[in-house]
Amino acid sequence: EAQVTQNPRYLITVTGKKLTVTCSQNMNHEYMSWYRQDPGLGLRQIYYSMNVEVTDKGDVPEGYKVSRKEKRNFPLILESPSPNQTSLYFCASSLIRGPNTGELFFGEGSRLTVL
Amino acid sequence: AQTVTQSQPEMSVQEAETVTLSCTYDTSESDYYLFWYKQPPSRQMILVIRQEAYKQQNATENRFSVNFQKAAKSFSLKISDSQLGDAAMYFCAYYWEYGNKLVFGAGTILRVKS
């Protein structure tokens, strides 16, 4: 089954404690991206990757890091989480070109709370 | 920068009736894609419908159809014969091939009354 898998789905942590949210896709997609969803703001892009070892900032990258060492994996790292990073996070992937251009496949979301 | 505006934070519809969700966007590009995504309480993001800007014909998917007005930069979603399972948050989104991201609106919560 084609899917994007995120873990953990729920996490409560404290300010400053490093955490990683993993993301893996099994569709051989070149493009992967992280979004955060906040009430009244929709989804905003944090980082994206066009292929292995190629990453770039989105609209709200501050406080986050990513890496793309393998095509299927795109972890999101919060080195020193702060309460303003409390949010719902989505990983997504897609092909870069083709008939479904722009159509993102989303993971199930990770609800992160930073105390 | 491209922006997407959904002016209706909440909408309600009676079961079996029709509802239209509004979306406007701002872009200087001529070739792009527009989407409606549905987010039920499970939080899963589900693609509802997609429209290519170069196509004049409005996209339809069963009970879901769009009214795409390119000159007005408007992309509304019509849901016919509304069902309880349609209750969700709906996001309008814009994609430009060289922008490397979907740009989302703030969302519209749709409530369906039985």
Side-chain angles (χ1 to χ4, degrees):
Chain A
E1 180 189 355
Q3 58 185 2
V4 178
T5 303
Q6 297 178 224
N7 281 295
R9 297 285 312 283
Y10 300 90
L11 181 63
I12 300 174
T13 190
V14 295
T15 299
K17 186 175 181 181
K18 179 180 178 180
L19 69 91
T20 299
V21 187
T22 63
C23 175
S24 180
Q25 50 94 4
N26 63 0
M27 295 167 279
N28 202 35
H29 286 167
E30 302 95 342
Y31 177 89
M32 297 186 74
S33 181
W34 278 101
Y35 284 82
R36 61 177 288 173
Q37 180 181 350
D38 302 290
L41 297 177
L43 282 77
R44 295 176 293 166
Q45 190 185 54
I46 302 171
Y47 268 94
Y48 67 94
S49 169
M50 300 295 284
N51 215 324
V52 176
E53 302 293 357
V54 179
T55 63
D56 210 343
K57 297 177 180 178
D59 297 319
V60 287
E62 295 78 17
Y64 305 95
K65 286 176 57 177
V66 294
S67 67
R68 188 94 181 269
K69 295 184 171 60
E70 303 167 284
K71 195 171 187 179
R72 63 184 292 125
N73 296 324
F74 191 47
L76 179 69
I77 303 159
L78 286 72
E79 293 272 2
S80 183
S82 62
N84 65 12
Q85 292 178 296
T86 293
S87 188
L88 177 60
Y89 291 86
F90 285 98
C91 180
S93 72
S94 74
L95 294 170
I96 292 178
R97 300 288 183 267
N100 296 323
T101 298
E103 180 179 331
L104 287 180
F105 289 80
F106 284 88
E108 293 182 302
S110 297
R111 170 71 68 185
L112 171 64
T113 301
V114 184
L115 302 177
Chain B
Q2 291 86 1
T3 58
V4 176
T5 302
Q6 294 179 247
S7 58
Q8 307 152 316
E10 290 191 30
M11 293 282 286
S12 291
V13 63
Q14 199 70 31
E15 201 175 2
E17 294 189 346
T18 296
V19 65
T20 298
L21 308 184
S22 300
C23 173
T24 59
Y25 58 96
D26 185 28
T27 184
S28 58
E29 304 299 327
S30 58
D31 290 329
Y32 49 87
Y33 303 82
L34 296 163
F35 302 85
W36 280 97
Y37 279 87
K38 170 185 177 181
Q39 187 181 47
S42 66
R43 305 184 325 209
Q44 182 68 36
M45 294 289 287
I46 302 165
L47 178 65
V48 175
I49 201 163
R50 159 200 179 95
Q51 175 80 44
E52 291 89 344
Y54 65 85
K55 290 186 178 179
Q56 294 185 336
Q57 186 173 5
N58 289 325
T60 63
E61 286 287 342
N62 301 315
R63 298 183 295 108
F64 298 87
S65 61
V66 299
N67 183 4
F68 173 48
Q69 302 288 330
K70 190 173 185 179
K73 298 179 183 176
S74 171
F75 183 61
S76 61
L77 175 69
K78 186 172 81 171
I79 306 174
S80 304
D81 186 25
S82 297
Q83 301 175 0
L84 294 177
D86 295 333
M89 174 81 87
Y90 286 82
F91 290 100
C92 177
Y94 164 98
Y95 179 83
W96 170 55
E97 197 167 355
Y98 299 100
N100 297 321
K101 65 181 176 186
L102 275 180
V103 178
F104 286 87
T108 297
I109 297 172
L110 178 65
R111 306 188 193 283
V112 180
K113 301 174 185 175
S114 59

